[in-house]
């Protein structure tokens, strides 16, 4: 009875999901493709766009690899614990299979209940044998998967190093390409004196935003198409996670009408849609700020950049680079964070203003970036 109960318990075990290592392998291939893109960007006519796409491809690949490795580590731990807990069952299973594989002695074929009992026992044995073989096959598959997952994680370190080196090179080349760019249209010219006066007289973001029209000269009419139909579907300007929603208090109890996105160091910030750069520079306690105007009476405020690519008055196309987040850690620490999935140490503050009032940015942006 005990042996029968053991066999039934083993056969009732739930089926295992497909190995998560596939995601990590796909991400590694994506990083290889990003490396090819970096080489191709060298001869691209629109070098800024090509390098922006390359940086984005690297960031997506690194994020996917990081997630895949985390899932692989969780899966390996799960399988290892499961196999360790089944040591006794595995030993009994191997013993049962071993005995089935040997030649039975004549006396073992006798049954106390006589020929009928022997026949019934034979029928039971015949029904159980395929189950034992199937369970052995499943256990062998688990052991092989553990070995593959461990090898995958060991080999991933080099892939991560190459990916981090590639994205850093792409970021450096992008910064240079932006500095060399001369073909962007300008909607107006910034008056630096008026800008300085407005900043010195400003105590709040509200006050600064309401005075933006004062810092321009020779302003042309807005020629960009309206974006109302994209409301709620715009991509966030940076890969990351929503750390705080609109009007949620921070650790100091301060509430702001925008959202805070936690990002990895040096993450690339791009325009969610074509827009005029209303302002780009330091402001109050927000750090480097870029204010985009996709259409009249609509402003996207991006604050907390470490490096800004935008110039006040420029008209940026959708997906254009705005700047980079900071990096307070060393390269070696960055590698460790990429491998562990931790380290979203940088924060981008996003505020959306319709007319003179702020609104919840998630009314405009889809918050599914990871």
């Amino acid at each position: 009875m005990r042996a029968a109960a053991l066999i039934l318990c083993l056969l009732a075990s739930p089926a295992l999901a497909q190995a998560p290592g596939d995601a990590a392998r796909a991400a590694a291939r994506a990083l290889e493709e990003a490396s090819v893109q970096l080489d191709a960007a060298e001869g691209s006519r629109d070098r800024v766009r090509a390098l922006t796409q390359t940086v984005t491809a690297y960031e997506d690949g690194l994020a996917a690899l990081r997630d895949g490795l985390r899932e692989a580590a969780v899966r390996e731990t799960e399988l290892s614990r499961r196999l360790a807990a089944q040591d006794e069952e595995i030993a009994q299973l191997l013993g049962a299979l071993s005995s089935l594989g040997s030649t039975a002695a004549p006396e073992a074929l006798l049954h106390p209940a006589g020929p009928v009992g022997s026949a019934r026992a034979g029928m039971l044995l015949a029904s159980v044998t395929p189950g034992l073989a199937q369970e052995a096959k499943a256990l062998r598959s688990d052991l092989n998967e553990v070995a593959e997952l461990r090898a995958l994680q060991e080999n991933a370190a080099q892939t991560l190093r190459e990916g981090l080196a590639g994205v850093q090179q792409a970021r450096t080349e992008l910064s240079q390409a932006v500095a060399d760019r001369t073909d962007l249209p300008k909607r107006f010219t910034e008056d630096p004196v008026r800008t300085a006066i407005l900043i010195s007289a400003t105590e709040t973001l509200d006050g600064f935003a309401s005075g933006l029209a004062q810092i321009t000269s020779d302003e042309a009419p807005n020629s960009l198409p309206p974006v109302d139909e994209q409301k709620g579907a715009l991509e966030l300007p940076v890969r990351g996670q929503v750390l705080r929603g609109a009007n949620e208090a921070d650790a100091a109890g301060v509430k702001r009408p925008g959202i805070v996105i936690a990002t990895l160091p040096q993450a690339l910030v791009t325009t969610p849609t074509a827009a005029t750069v209303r302002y780009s520079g330091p402001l109050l306690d927000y750090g480097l700020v870029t204010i985009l105007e996709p259409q009249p009476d609509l402003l996207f405020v991006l604050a907390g950049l470490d490096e800004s690519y935008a110039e006040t008055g420029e008209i940026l196309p959708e997906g254009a680079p705005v700047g980079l987040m900071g990096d307070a850690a060393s390269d070696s620490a960055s590698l460790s964070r990429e491998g562990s999935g931790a380290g979203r140490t940088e924060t981008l503050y996003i505020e959306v203003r319709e007319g003179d009032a702020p609104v919840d940015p998630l009314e405009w942006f889809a918050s599914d970036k990871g």
Side-chain angles (χ1 to χ4, degrees):
M1 290 294 294
R2 185 173 179 273
L6 169 63
I7 293 170
L8 290 175
C9 178
L10 289 173
L11 294 179
S13 299
L16 298 179
Q18 185 178 5
D22 293 343
R25 295 184 186 95
R29 289 193 294 270
L31 287 174
E32 292 177 2
E33 293 172 4
S35 177
V36 173
Q37 280 187 242
L38 179 58
D39 293 336
E42 183 69 31
S44 175
R45 290 183 60 185
D46 191 343
R47 188 161 161 73
V48 171
R49 177 183 291 275
L51 287 168
T52 300
Q53 293 173 347
T54 299
V55 172
T56 301
Y58 267 116
E59 290 185 345
D60 289 345
L62 286 168
L65 183 59
R66 184 177 62 248
D67 293 341
L69 288 176
R70 182 167 58 245
E71 292 176 3
V74 170
R75 175 67 173 160
E76 185 210 332
T77 301
E78 172 193 343
L79 287 172
S80 297
R81 288 176 177 173
R82 178 176 172 179
L83 291 170
Q86 289 182 331
D87 277 347
E88 182 180 352
E89 287 87 345
I90 292 172
Q92 293 187 37
L93 175 62
L94 293 176
L97 290 173
S98 176
S99 64
L100 289 174
S102 61
T103 303
E107 56 270 18
L109 300 177
L110 299 178
H111 194 278
V116 175
S118 296
R120 288 176 178 171
M123 293 172 64
L124 176 62
L125 184 61
S127 64
V128 166
T129 301
L132 289 171
Q134 181 180 356
E135 183 61 23
K137 182 179 179 181
L139 290 170
R140 185 164 55 249
S141 175
D142 287 351
L143 290 168
N144 290 338
E145 186 178 350
V146 168
E148 289 177 2
L149 291 173
R150 286 178 181 170
L152 175 68
Q153 293 173 79
E154 290 172 0
N155 295 334
Q158 180 61 28
T159 303
L160 280 170
R161 278 192 291 269
E162 292 173 356
L164 286 168
V167 73
Q168 187 56 45
Q169 180 184 349
R171 287 167 180 155
T172 301
E173 293 187 17
L174 176 59
S175 297
Q176 185 60 51
V178 169
D180 296 340
R181 181 175 55 188
T182 59
D183 58 344
L184 279 181
K186 295 200 72 170
R187 185 177 164 194
F188 61 83
T189 302
E190 178 189 17
D191 187 320
V193 175
R194 290 179 182 176
T195 301
I197 292 173
L198 177 61
I199 292 175
S200 64
T202 294
E203 296 181 355
T204 64
L205 184 56
D206 283 346
F208 185 78
S210 63
L212 281 175
Q214 303 172 16
I215 69 173
T216 69
S217 61
D218 304 324
E219 182 169 346
N222 177 65
S223 60
L224 297 174
V227 294
D228 294 310
E229 292 184 357
Q230 301 181 58
K231 189 171 185 177
L234 292 175
E235 286 194 12
L236 287 170
V238 68
R239 169 178 282 281
Q241 294 179 346
V242 178
L243 186 63
R244 278 194 303 278
N247 296 308
E248 286 186 11
D250 61 15
V254 177
K255 295 182 179 180
R256 286 176 170 168
I259 61 174
V260 175
I261 306 295
T263 79
L264 286 170
Q266 293 190 298
L268 178 65
V269 181
T270 59
T271 53
T273 185
T276 301
V277 181
R278 274 292 167 184
Y279 174 74
S280 183
L283 181 64
L284 302 173
D285 62 342
Y286 290 91
L288 274 181
V289 174
T290 296
I291 301 179
L292 304 174
E293 184 187 61
Q295 65 186 27
D297 296 323
L298 178 64
L299 297 177
F300 295 160
V301 181
L302 310 177
L305 295 164
D306 183 70
E307 181 179 355
S308 177
Y309 295 147
E311 184 178 329
T312 303
E314 289 179 336
I315 301 176
L316 298 178
E318 179 180 346
V322 173
L324 295 175
M325 301 301 295
D327 184 7
S330 66
D331 291 341
S332 59
S334 296
L335 174 60
S336 174
R337 288 195 306 274
E338 289 285 359
S340 64
R344 283 189 169 89
T345 57
E346 306 303 314
T347 55
L348 181 72
Y349 176 73
I350 303 175
E351 188 171 310
V352 176
R353 304 182 65 84
E354 294 181 5
D356 294 329
V359 299
D360 187 344
L362 295 184
E363 292 181 9
W364 282 88
F365 295 102
S367 59
D368 59 349
K369 270 195 175 184

